[in-house]
């Protein structure tokens, strides 16, 4: 285990906030029947998270990590030339859409390349041992981006590009991606579908977005069979169901896999007030999930843990859930009290419900890969 004197790394660049998502009303393009409004994916939630870090005093305790934009050659490790060309053309002009709900602004290509580069830089810092662990507060998000298309507000596959970098440049052979955004991590699933060197895990709201992926029976293919684990949970899950899923499904699989690095696409849209999810987590839930992964990383890979920012669209609560994660990663509790916590914890149904327990038991049977069975025996 690394010394606690080592700091938590932090990636941030103001220009991440300049990626323009226009005047969508939520996820909808404005028009004759839809008044122009504020898009769900915009800068404010992330900026408020960064601001709270500064106000809390924790910001100055973090080790800044400098992002470098990924080159086209690096992006081609995951994405197709045709998609990168489409993205570059839209970005060079006034912008447009790469799919119905995914706007590209002028310059978004360069900003997205710097966001992916931020996650890569965080991975470099953790693997080189210059920081204890790291959080990349980047934008635009990445976990829905597939090799040949952007989708779900995501342009480039930030976490997958960082995992590919760790395979190719650092020679790792076992990387775990643990995606706790409320939506399915379809990008990494597709990119590493047949690659056992990356265990892709996604815990998400069943049938949310994308509606047709993220089922438990999607276990990977070829040599990668058994190395893609989906944990789709029914809407309405609180902390009890999430921690039960961690303790009985996710952590045993990770213990069996023994990753050399864990990357977490970290969405705060499983928070109770999020407009794009129907789960009920709060800041202490994110604290608990972070601590579980830190304990596991300490046990199996010298604490190597990198989180990268994904979804989370409720501006008043995301900063406090984010601060809770940063306090946990850095081992430093600030004086800030989450004003939302009492109300969110008080929502009926936070504890594990019988139908949720039944579903998690069912998932244990579906996720029957040799890897997972081995994990359950440990
Ligand atoms: Zn999401």
């Amino acid at each position: 285990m690394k010394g606690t004197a080592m700091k938590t790394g932090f990636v941030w660049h103001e220009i991440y906030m300049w990626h323009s998502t226009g005047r969508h009303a939520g996820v909808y393009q404005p028009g004759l029947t839809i008044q122009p409004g504020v898009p769900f994916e915009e800068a404010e939630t992330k900026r408020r998270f960064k601001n709270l870090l500064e106000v809390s005093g924790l910001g100055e305790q973090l080790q800044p990590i400098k992002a470098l934009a990924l080159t086209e050659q690096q992006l081609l490790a995951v994405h197709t030339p045709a998609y990168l060309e489409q993205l570059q053309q839209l970005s060079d002009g006034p912008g447009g859409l790469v799919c119905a709900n995914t706007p590209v602004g002028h310059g978004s290509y360069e900003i997205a390349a710097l966001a992916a580069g931020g996650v890569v830089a965080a991975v470099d810092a953790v693997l080189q041992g210059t920081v204890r662990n790291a959080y990349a507060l980047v934008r635009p998000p990445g976990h829905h981006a597939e090799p040949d298309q952007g989708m779900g507000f995501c342009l480039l596959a930030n976490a997958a590009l960082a995992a590919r970098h760790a395979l190719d440049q650092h020679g790792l052979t076992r990387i775990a991606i643990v995606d706790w955004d409320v939506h399915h991590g379809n990008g990494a699933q597709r990119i590493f579908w047949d690659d056992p060197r990356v265990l892709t895990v996604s815990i998400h709201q069943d049938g949310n977005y994308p509606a047709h992926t993220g089922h438990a029976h999607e276990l990977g293919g070829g040599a990668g069979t058994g190395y893609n684990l989906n944990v789709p949970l029914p809407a309405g899950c609180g902390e009890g169901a999430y921690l039960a899923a961690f303790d009985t499904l996710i952590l045993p699989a990770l213990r069996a896999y023994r990753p050399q690095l864990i990357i977490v696409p970290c969405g705060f849209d499983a928070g109770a007030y999020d407009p794009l999810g129907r789960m009920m987590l709060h800041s202490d839930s994110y604290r608990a999930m972070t601590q579980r992964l830190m304990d596991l990383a300490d046990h199996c890979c010298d604490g190597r843990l990198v989180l990268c920012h994904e979804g989370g669209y409720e501006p008043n609560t995301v900063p406090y859930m984010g601060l809770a994660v940063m306090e946990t990663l850095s081992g430093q509790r600030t004086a800030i009290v989450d004003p939302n916590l009492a109300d969110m914890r008080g929502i009926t149904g936070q504890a594990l419900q019988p139908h949720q327990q039944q579903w998690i038991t069912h998932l244990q049977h579906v996720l029957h890969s040799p890897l997972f069975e081995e994990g359950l025996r440990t």
Side-chain angles (χ1 to χ4, degrees), residues 174-185:
R174 292 187 316 278
I175 299 167
I177 293 179
V178 182
D179 184 327
W180 65 42
D181 187 283
V182 81
H183 306 104
H184 176 225

Side-chain angles (χ1 to χ4, degrees), residues 77-78 160 163-168 172-177 187-201 219-229 257 260 371:
V78 162
R164 182 75 79 193
H165 172 81
L167 293 173
D168 296 344
L172 300 195
T173 53
R174 292 187 316 278
I175 299 167
I177 293 179
Q189 167 170 310
R190 189 169 154 205
I191 290 160
F192 298 112
W193 181 253
D194 54 8
D195 191 341
R197 297 176 303 165
V198 182
L199 172 68
T200 45
V201 180
L219 288 163
T225 303
Y227 296 90
N228 184 73
L229 301 178
Y257 188 68
Q260 298 157 316
L371 167 74

Side-chain angles (χ1 to χ4, degrees), residues 143-144 181-183 269 311-313:
H143 78 141
H144 293 308
D181 187 283
V182 81
H183 306 104
D269 41 12
Y313 306 101

Side-chain angles (χ1 to χ4, degrees), residues 123 127 161-172 175 261 263:
V123 162
L127 292 180
L161 283 158
R164 182 75 79 193
H165 172 81
L167 293 173
D168 296 344
Q169 303 302 319
H170 293 275
L172 300 195
I175 299 167
L261 167 70
I263 301 174

Side-chain angles (χ1 to χ4, degrees), residues 10-22 39 41-51 54 105-108 110-112 114-115 135-141 309-310 312 318:
F10 187 63
V11 177
W12 164 266
H13 196 298
E14 172 60 25
I15 208 166
Y16 294 150
M17 304 301 109
W18 296 9
H19 160 58
S20 171
T21 46
E41 204 298 293
E42 45 88 54
E44 189 64 2
T45 39
K46 294 81 182 173
R47 204 172 247 143
R48 289 173 67 95
F49 175 6
K50 165 72 162 36
N51 290 344
E54 285 185 19
H106 180 66
S108 287
E110 284 74 17
I111 298 173
L114 191 67
Y135 194 100
L137 182 41
V138 299
R139 182 174 172 270
H309 199 86
E310 295 288 350
V318 165

Side-chain angles (χ1 to χ4, degrees), residues 38-160:
V38 178
F40 284 126
E41 204 298 293
E42 45 88 54
E44 189 64 2
T45 39
K46 294 81 182 173
R47 204 172 247 143
R48 289 173 67 95
F49 175 6
K50 165 72 162 36
N51 290 344
L52 188 64
L53 278 177
E54 285 185 19
V55 168
S56 73
L58 185 56
E60 63 197 59
Q61 303 297 322
L62 305 173
Q63 179 70 43
I65 296 173
K66 185 176 167 59
L68 290 175
L70 295 193
T71 64
E72 185 183 357
Q73 199 58 37
Q74 288 174 297
L75 297 175
L76 286 168
V78 162
H79 293 288
T80 63
Y83 172 58
L84 292 181
E85 193 179 324
Q86 179 202 8
L87 192 57
Q88 182 81 72
Q89 276 180 6
L90 287 169
S91 172
D92 286 348
L97 297 171
V98 285
C99 83
N101 59 11
T102 306
V104 175
H106 180 66
S108 287
Y109 180 102
E110 284 74 17
I111 298 173
L114 191 67
V119 185
V120 166
V123 162
D124 281 340
V126 165
L127 292 180
Q128 288 158 4
T130 56
V131 296
R132 182 181 176 206
N133 47 38
Y135 194 100
L137 182 41
V138 299
R139 182 174 172 270
H143 78 141
H144 293 308
E146 298 193 342
D148 54 355
Q149 61 178 353
M151 54 188 281
F153 315 147
C154 299
L155 301 184
L156 298 172
N158 302 333

